[in-house]
Amino acid sequence: MKKANGYEIITLFEQWSPKRYAEDWDPVGLHIGQLNRQVEKVLITLDVNEAVVDEAIEKGANLIIAHHPPIFRPMKNIWTDTPQGRLVEKCIKHDISVYAAHTNLDVAPGGVNDLLASRLKLKNIEVMEPTISDSLYKLAVFCPVEHADELREVLARSGAGAIGDYAGCSFSSTGTGRFTPSAGADPFIGEIGKMEEVTEERIEVVLPGPLRSKVLKAMLSAHPYEEPAYDFFVLDQRTEEFGLGRVGALQEAMELKEFAQFIKGALDVPAVRIVGDASKLVRKVAVLGGSGSKYIRAAKRKGADVFVTGDMDFHSAQEAELMDLAIVDPGHHVEKVMIEGVARHMEQACTEKGYEVSFIKSEIDTEPFRFI
Ligand SMILES: [Zn+2]
């Protein structure tokens, strides 16, 4: 096991939930402090308030990963007699850094929306509103047949060749490579000034654009040749689409009133608001963590019978009613599922890397609403 700094931990986090998945308006990333110091404990929270910072201090965590950005609108000043100014002051005084992953964590496979869909035990889950896809590349690399297995393994480990649920996909064909080492060369095979013929494999793998430099680096470091021959092609296809919200089917249809009770239990909330006929049968469910008012049409387009989302406003609720889309609003705070999900994902990622760091789940209840 080895110590890690904040930068190394966040690099692992962003391999899962990259900032490019975030909406344009969303201020994700490091908000307070710095990442260039050792971190042994990370506190995971939905929101950052003073009680959460006190919890971090008490538990010895010097990095907080939050879902909701603590500095959402630009601050023009830091007055330490205001709640927000005091929060920044307290973090800095105690060397606590705060990092926010908001809509990028909603979009990330296995992030907030997938966590909610899995709580609802949905089947055949799809993205509700696609927001981003990556360009796709093909790498073709030529290597002596005896080294092809090792090179294929290195390429797979670097993330190349992932297609849908399949990892390490590649295609090989065998042929003859020819080269003449010139003066100054230090050839792995052959002699200076003599034409060499080698039986080589051409290994082809696809990879998403953002992995290009990582895969290239891995290939060059594993290839036995001094000057490996390779081609990168831009493909016409793109990667699968990532996006906000999820749509899936319940195991079996149920009445809206029964579904509302199910949601209370599945998402651990004391009450929900519903829109629609309580006896309507629902089977196809759309779910979006946070505020989903502006996504009712996307839910309807995807054929959902019911849309589970928070912060539903009056006019959007009326519009949903008119389009026969039932709504179950369990509130915004159900996004707290991210605490468990992020801790689990990051514990595993850090264990694989051999980082000695623990992830603490915040126990502060940041839900502002009470039901009476
Ligand atoms: Zn939210």
Side-chain angles (χ1 to χ4, degrees):
M1 297 295 265
K2 56 192 174 202
K3 304 281 185 200
N5 65 24
Y7 177 75
E8 289 165 319
I9 293 166
I10 293 302
T11 299
L12 279 187
F13 181 85
E14 289 184 354
Q15 280 169 9
W16 171 41
S17 178
K19 282 192 220 158
R20 69 177 189 281
Y21 286 176
E23 298 284 286
D24 293 341
W25 49 262
D26 196 7
V28 298
L30 182 68
H31 274 228
I32 301 170
Q34 55 150 305
L35 293 175
N36 199 16
R37 65 181 159 219
Q38 193 176 302
V39 174
E40 285 171 16
K41 289 179 186 170
V42 181
L43 183 74
I44 314 289
T45 181
L46 177 60
D47 305 284
V48 188
N49 60 22
E50 208 172 339
V52 171
V53 177
D54 287 338
E55 185 186 28
I57 295 166
E58 191 203 314
K59 295 180 175 168
N62 60 348
L63 175 62
I64 294 175
I65 297 180
H67 184 45
H68 290 136
I71 305 173
F72 195 70
R73 290 178 192 88
M75 292 172 80
K76 292 202 171 98
N77 43 50
I78 303 174
W79 291 349
T80 55
D81 58 352
T82 63
Q84 200 183 21
R86 208 162 56 230
L87 187 89
V88 173
E89 181 191 30
K90 197 169 230 177
C91 287
I92 288 172
K93 271 188 176 168
H94 290 87
D95 288 339
I96 290 173
S97 303
V98 182
Y99 176 91
H102 191 210
T103 47
N104 50 330
L105 189 60
D106 291 329
V107 166
V112 176
N113 287 308
D114 275 326
L115 290 163
L116 288 169
S118 108
R119 285 286 184 101
L120 271 47
K121 298 190 172 63
L122 300 183
K123 296 184 303 179
N124 307 326
I125 297 168
E126 298 168 42
V127 168
M128 185 181 82
E129 175 83 342
T131 54
I132 189 169
S133 67
D134 289 318
S135 53
L136 208 55
Y137 285 79
K138 176 169 279 190
L139 168 66
V141 53
F142 304 82
C143 126
V145 280
E146 306 79 52
H147 290 81
D149 283 346
E150 192 190 329
L151 190 57
R152 268 192 293 268
E153 205 181 307
V154 167
L155 290 169
R157 266 207 309 273
S158 69
I163 302 177
D165 292 333
Y166 297 83
C169 306
S170 69
F171 181 83
S172 290
S173 45
T174 310
T176 306
R178 294 176 191 83
F179 50 85
T180 305
S182 308
D186 179 17
F188 178 71
I189 298 171
E191 295 167 30
I192 307 290
K194 192 179 157 209
M195 158 76 86
E196 194 63 45
E197 287 198 355
V198 182
T199 307
E200 293 179 346
E201 268 191 34
R202 170 193 161 106
I203 304 169
E204 298 175 38
V205 286
V206 292
L207 56 133
L211 281 186
R212 230 184 106 156
S213 60
K214 184 183 175 198
V215 170
L216 181 61
K217 216 165 123 190
M219 183 276 283
L220 292 174
S221 67
H223 201 293
Y225 284 177
E226 201 176 14
E227 300 289 352
Y230 64 91
D231 305 312
F232 256 123
F233 305 98
V234 187
L235 301 183
D236 198 33
Q237 301 109 301
R238 296 184 70 81
T239 62
E240 63 173 310
E241 288 179 312
F242 305 102
L244 292 164
R246 300 291 182 267
V247 183
L250 294 170
Q251 309 290 333
E252 50 192 69
M254 57 175 101
E255 289 188 354
L256 179 59
K257 58 177 176 290
E258 193 190 340
F259 179 70
Q261 291 299 336
F262 164 68
I263 290 293
K264 281 165 66 176
L267 301 181
D268 183 29
V269 286
V272 295
R273 293 188 301 160
I274 69 167
V275 176
D277 179 351
S279 59
K280 177 190 173 176
L281 274 182
V282 296
R283 173 112 200 230
K284 195 159 184 187
V285 179
V287 59
L288 183 134
S291 305
S293 288
K294 65 178 183 185
Y295 294 100
I296 54 173
R297 287 176 202 175
K300 186 67 187 173
R301 258 198 315 274
K302 279 284 183 179
D305 303 311
V306 58
F307 183 25
V308 180
T309 192
D311 297 347
M312 185 53 56
D313 68 79
F314 182 78
H315 292 293
S316 301
Q318 284 181 324
E319 194 181 336
E321 195 175 30
L322 283 174
M323 60 171 83
D324 191 29
L325 173 70
I327 303 281
V328 174
D329 182 346
H332 195 127
H333 193 253
V334 295
E335 289 183 311
K336 67 188 172 196
V337 294
M338 56 73 62
I339 297 174
E340 170 79 36
V342 170
R344 199 173 46 229
H345 181 95
M346 288 305 292
E347 261 159 23
Q348 195 187 335
C350 285
T351 305
E352 279 169 17
K353 271 277 182 188
Y355 291 159
E356 199 178 337
V357 51
S358 57
F359 293 86
I360 302 164
K361 293 172 241 175
S362 173
E363 291 170 63
I364 304 294
D365 182 6
T366 58
E367 165 70 280
F369 293 108
R370 295 287 173 264
F371 300 86
I372 54 171

